[in-house]
Amino acid sequence: MTDPARPAGPAHHDDRDDRGCLRLVLAVPLTVLTLIAAYFCWTALTIRPSGSWDDAAYGGIVLSCVVTLAATASAAALWVLPSVRRVMGWGWIVPAVAFGVTASVRWAVGG
């Protein structure tokens, strides 16, 4: 006996089949935002002011930290959506958050 709520035959479409495609589509913005956060976090960590008078270097550190935090916040805002969180696990957001925490510490310590 067949289940009346479930269509029979090959025309049946299971939502679990779409998870791989959805994961691939959502991986693009999360990966791009994580790469942006990584680059600007690296920039914030590698800028070395020549002295206390080097306002340009300090400004570059702050700008890099702000961009890192913006990319991290964007990735987290995307990941928080229930439909995204259901498909993308914690492993997708942890690197971006780690870059955000690192940039926050860099900004607090030396920016």
Side-chain angles (χ1 to χ4, degrees), residues 6-33:
R6 185 175 182 185
H12 172 65
H13 182 70
D14 193 3
D15 288 338
R16 288 176 284 173
D17 295 338
D18 288 340
R19 287 191 178 189
C21 184
L22 185 58
R23 183 174 293 155
L24 182 64
V25 169
L26 293 172
V28 173
L30 282 174
T31 302
V32 168
L33 289 168

Side-chain angles (χ1 to χ4, degrees), residues 51-99:
S52 60
W53 49 266
D54 195 357
D55 293 334
Y58 287 112
I61 292 169
V62 170
L63 179 63
S64 294
C65 291
V66 167
V67 173
T68 301
L69 292 174
T72 299
S74 298
L78 177 64
W79 185 82
V80 165
L81 297 172
S83 59
V84 177
R85 222 178 33 241
R86 204 173 18 249
V87 176
M88 311 296 279
W90 281 98
W92 285 94
I93 195 63
V94 169
V97 171
F99 293 129

